[in-house]
């Protein structure tokens, strides 16, 4: 949810300009920060190894958005 929200905000802030490019960069940076992009992997549902808590996912999504849009 946080990752999709960050991508939606990027689209709104850029009026849709280069949204696919920004989306890929946001997803890639979120992956680096969080260890995964899929919720069940982040929560360790199958692996029993939690990678990122919800508040940290939100923080990482916001961080990724800010870093990408400030480039």
């Amino acid at each position: 949810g946080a990752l999709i929200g960050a991508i939606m905000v990027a689209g709104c802030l850029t009026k849709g300009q280069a949204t696919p490019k920004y989306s890929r960069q946001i997803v890639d940076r979120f992956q680096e920060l969080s260890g995964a992009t899929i919720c069940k992997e982040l929560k360790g549902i199958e692996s029993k190894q939690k990678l990122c808590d919800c508040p940290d996912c939100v923080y990482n999504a916001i961080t990724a958005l800010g870093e990408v849009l400030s480039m």
Side-chain angles (χ1 to χ4, degrees), residues 11-22:
C12 290
L13 291 176
T14 63
K15 296 182 176 35
Q17 300 298 313
T19 301
K21 177 184 124 183
Y22 289 132

Side-chain angles (χ1 to χ4, degrees), residues 17 31 42:
Q17 300 298 313
Q31 170 90 31
L42 291 163

